[in-house]
Every structure is written in C-alpha cells, then in structure tokens.
Amino acid sequence: MGVRRLEKSARRMLDRLHDQVGAGLLAAAAIPGLGAVVDQHSAAVRDILTVGVESSAVVAGSVLLAGYAQGVLDHLRESGRPLRVPADATGWLGADWISVRLLAVCALARDLHPGRPVGSTGQLPTVA
C-alpha cells in the first residue's frame, strides 16, 4: 500500500473513532478533572508512539495513532467486551480506561498535520 493510501486509510479510521468517542472532547473541555485525565492519557500515548515504536520518526503520526487505536479496539474485541461510550458529559466522568484512552487518541489526532512524522522533535501534538 502506498504511503498516501496508508495515510488516507489511517485518517478514515481516526475519523470513525472520532465519530464514536469524539463527543467526549467537549466534555473534557468543560470538566477540568476529565480534561486532566485525557491529557495524561494523551501524554502516555504520545510517549508510547515516540519512544516505544521503532522507526516512529519516519512514519506519519496519523498512521501511528490509527495503529495504536486499532490495537486497543482489537484487544477489546478479543476480550469479548463492547466499547462503552458514555452518552453525556457526566457519563465521561465514570468512563472506563479504554474509552478515555481512545478519546486521548482523538485529542492527539485532532491537532495532527497530515503527513507529519512522529519523532524526537515532538511531531505529535503536546498536551497542555
């Protein structure tokens, strides 16, 4: 698969993920405690992808994020559990680890520029 096709496929996957859990970003913006939890998860994902993935400096961030999210979703499916997406902002306060982790992926993907690699120069967006 060509690089551009791979990036387009990754972006489609991230768009589908955002359709599923992205509403939680509004809740995180409105609820400081939830925002802090999402920031912590975002930092962990960013560290995993920049330090824990060999050759991550030459792979588009969208591809890395989509691969990570797909791995989380595969683990969920293999364990026989459904993705539990909270229905409202209050529900996000009690969201499980997987839902918040996937929301963190959405937060990182939202600010990622197409085609940009992830490397030691901080190519994935930082969390504030």
Side-chain angles (χ1 to χ4, degrees):
M1 183 178 278
V3 173
R4 293 284 177 224
R5 285 183 61 197
L6 188 59
E7 287 181 47
K8 285 176 94 172
S9 177
R11 184 46 71 182
R12 281 193 304 272
M13 189 277 177
L14 292 169
D15 288 345
R16 285 191 308 272
L17 180 64
H18 189 272
D19 289 346
Q20 289 181 289
V21 300
L25 293 173
L26 295 174
I31 303 169
L34 177 60
V37 171
V38 173
D39 286 348
Q40 290 173 344
H41 277 270
S42 295
V45 170
R46 188 184 63 247
D47 289 348
I48 288 167
L49 296 179
T50 58
V51 177
V53 176
E54 189 176 328
S55 300
S56 64
V58 296
V59 177
S62 59
V63 173
L64 291 170
L65 287 170
Y68 180 85
Q70 189 61 58
V72 172
L73 291 168
D74 288 348
H75 173 74
L76 191 64
R77 186 182 69 250
E78 290 167 5
S79 67
R81 299 182 317 189
L83 176 60
R84 293 188 181 101
V85 180
D88 57 22
T90 305
W92 277 101
L93 288 171
D96 63 13
W97 185 93
I98 288 178
S99 295
V100 177
R101 194 62 149 212
L102 293 172
L103 183 60
V105 170
C106 288
L108 289 168
R110 173 188 57 197
D111 299 324
L112 193 63
H113 300 291
R116 182 173 281 180
V118 177
S120 60
T121 58
Q123 304 298 5
L124 275 177
T126 59
V127 290

